[in-house]
Amino acid sequence: MSDKKRTPPDFSQLHNETIGVRAGVRRSQFNEHAEALFMTSSFCFDSAEEAAHGFANAEKGFIYSRFTNPTVAMFQDRLAALEGGQACIATSSGMSAIMTTAMAHLSAGDHVVCSRSVFGATIQLFTNILGRFGIETTYVDMADLNSWQQAVKPNTKMFYLETPSNPLTEVADIAAIAKIAKAAGALYVVDNCFCTPALQKPIALGADVVIHSATKYLDGQGRVLGGAIVGTEDFVMGKVFPFVRTSGPTLSAFNAWVVLKGLETLSLRLEKQSQTARDLAIWLEQQPAVERVYHPDLPSHPQHAVAKRQQSMGGPILSFTLKGGQEAAWRVINQTRLLSITANLGDTRTTITHPATTTHVRVSEEARLAAGITPGLVRIAVGLEHLEDIKADLRGL
Ligand SMILES: *Cc1c(COP(=O)(O)O)cnc(C)c1O
């Protein structure tokens, strides 16, 4: 890495758009302008003394790419700056970021309070896997502050939620839940997958840790898997770094380079996608075949006021129910020619899904209906196509 002769900017004073293209850059001795991709498993030393010093200060230099790589470090530093966190560790996927956070922080006998409306694999991880290691999880209604309070036990060590939720875009009051978590002495973890720091900054609202599936909007172009954990220097470097170094759920340099470039367009994409989602939601509310539309920007959304307070925009995801139930929902999906029929989201291409028979099919019918995942529900994750083309493609309405 070359000597820095210029004073670096104070990124905490700069805006998302600027941080997204400028923060975290580390130039090699060649002074390349674009970020370099360091495809190397290990790094060399000039002497035995230097090697010994490197191993004694593993988190500072570059030794072996299981725990330190310059391309990965650039992604970590840029994302930490965007989220307003002190430090970041990248992981191989969003799920490995959640697993790593839990393994770094929890022990047998600990208790977790978790929103019921989180990613399906997150529930499987907490209940079926961490449960085998003596960690118990209580699931609560994310929008009901009392249910968080009432779930607290003397051994509660972690609060976990995702807002807005998938697929109904329910919104949790991040700051209000922070107070309950703090009083309980629990680590407060927020999955910021759907808004990203472009639209919502949980750490400024009181979260201790922000989780990302970089697979979604951080890459934003449907190319690679990745994950990240952002938080305080103490937690991230003191607990997460040693866990990743030892157990290896590491982000590859190549994937880090892809998501690092994704961050450059994050604000542009999220603002545009969120604006199209809001306009589509307003239009859907006027369609006679549509029963109900879920998007945080709609005044009819149950947590509209909270969303306006903590998000700069409603986000790129919306859902709606059709009066004609599953038959009508499948007709709308089957008559599209443009939209991608896939359960994935966070791409430049709009995706359309029938949650009851895909993403939530493993949930019991009773639990599904209780969660509002009715047979007539359709989810759309809006991409970068023109609004009018998306509307026209919903010809089956
Ligand atoms: C996709 C997703 C995850 C898991 O991320 P992977 O990168 O697929 O492992 C976690 N949380 C949310 C909200 C997601 O949408």
Side-chain angles (χ1 to χ4, degrees):
M1 304 287 122
S2 70
D3 288 330
K4 299 281 180 298
K5 296 193 189 75
R6 297 165 75 199
T7 309
D10 176 2
F11 284 105
S12 70
Q13 302 301 314
L14 303 181
H15 299 88
N16 279 337
E17 295 84 344
T18 312
I19 299 169
V21 295
R22 291 285 181 186
V25 173
R26 292 173 191 234
R27 296 206 167 105
S28 75
Q29 72 271 31
F30 301 117
N31 263 323
E32 64 282 353
H33 193 195
E35 300 82 352
L37 169 51
F38 289 87
M39 293 291 279
T40 177
S41 47
S42 70
F43 299 83
C44 296
F45 298 98
D46 284 337
S47 65
E49 287 80 2
E50 216 183 74
H53 183 262
F55 272 80
N57 298 277
E59 67 282 1
K60 298 207 176 74
F62 298 104
I63 296 175
Y64 186 60
S65 288
R66 182 177 349 100
F67 47 100
T68 44
N69 176 283
T71 311
V72 178
M74 286 191 271
F75 166 65
Q76 291 173 163
D77 291 350
R78 185 169 294 176
L79 183 60
L82 279 167
E83 287 286 3
Q86 293 171 352
C88 171
I89 291 290
T91 57
S92 56
S93 68
M95 285 320 301
S96 65
I98 301 168
M99 186 262 307
T100 295
T101 303
M103 297 292 273
H105 182 65
L106 301 171
S107 302
D110 287 348
H111 174 245
V112 177
V113 184
C114 183
S115 158
R116 197 172 282 127
S117 308
V118 293
F119 192 61
T122 304
I123 292 184
Q124 303 288 331
L125 172 69
F126 285 147
T127 301
N128 298 339
I129 298 179
L130 296 179
R132 283 199 282 116
F133 296 88
I135 293 162
E136 187 206 359
T137 302
T138 303
Y139 295 96
V140 299
D141 176 351
M142 66 188 278
D144 175 7
L145 293 179
N146 268 337
S147 72
W148 290 93
Q149 184 64 61
Q150 280 161 8
V152 172
K153 298 184 184 191
N155 58 340
T156 301
K157 289 284 161 54
M158 187 162 111
F159 271 33
Y160 190 97
L161 64 84
E162 186 180 303
T163 180
S165 72
N166 177 22
L168 293 177
T169 72
E170 286 170 281
V171 172
D173 187 333
I174 298 175
I177 295 166
K179 291 201 185 102
I180 303 170
K182 199 156 256 123
L187 185 79
Y188 182 25
V189 183
V190 174
D191 183 334
N192 200 22
C193 181
F194 293 159
C195 273
T196 81
L199 307 182
Q200 168 175 281
K201 305 216 181 190
I203 289 172
L205 296 165
D208 296 313
V209 175
V210 165
I211 293 282
H212 273 286
S213 167
T215 317
K216 310 292 170 51
Y217 292 98
L218 302 191
D219 169 28
Q221 290 150 85
R223 300 169 293 188
V224 297
L225 275 92
I229 301 155
V230 184
T232 60
E233 185 80 19
D234 273 1
F235 179 71
V236 173
M237 296 317 293
K239 286 186 162 178
V240 173
F241 176 78
F243 179 83
V244 171
R245 178 183 186 175
T246 306
S247 63
T250 312
L251 185 64
S252 74
F254 179 78
N255 287 10
W257 181 77
V258 171
V259 291
L260 178 66
K261 302 309 278 179
L263 290 182
E264 295 184 0
T265 54
L266 182 70
S267 289
L268 269 180
R269 285 186 281 106
L270 265 286
E271 285 171 21
K272 179 68 182 167
Q273 285 168 277
S274 194
Q275 190 185 328
T276 307
R278 178 183 54 205
D279 293 345
L280 186 64
I282 292 168
W283 177 78
L284 281 166
E285 267 195 332
Q286 294 157 359
Q287 303 311 303
V290 172
E291 184 176 61
R292 181 154 178 205
V293 185
Y294 301 88
H295 186 264
D297 276 337
L298 296 174
S300 60
H301 188 283
Q303 297 96 32
H304 178 64
V306 180
K308 271 192 94 102
R309 210 162 57 227
Q310 71 186 21
Q311 302 174 208
S312 61
M313 298 179 82
I317 294 170
L318 64 88
S319 295
F320 57 99
T321 48
L322 288 150
K323 290 174 186 158
Q326 177 166 327
E327 197 189 325
W330 279 25
R331 185 176 60 243
V332 169
I333 294 170
N334 287 338
Q335 290 190 10
T336 58
R337 296 172 199 162
L338 187 69
L339 305 194
S340 308
I341 304 172
T342 168
N344 196 22
L345 54 88
D347 206 312
T348 54
R349 288 162 281 259
T350 299
T351 66
I352 188 164
T353 322
H354 185 244
T357 53
T358 60
T359 52
H360 290 69
V361 75
R362 286 186 295 171
V363 180
S364 74
E365 190 182 357
E366 194 190 349
R368 221 168 32 228
L369 292 176
I373 319 287
T374 57
L377 186 76
V378 174
R379 185 198 75 195
I380 293 185
V382 173
L384 288 174
E385 301 93 337
H386 196 284
L387 171 67
E388 295 305 324
D389 296 333
I390 300 171
K391 277 159 51 174
D393 206 39
L394 299 173
R395 63 181 61 73
L397 278 176

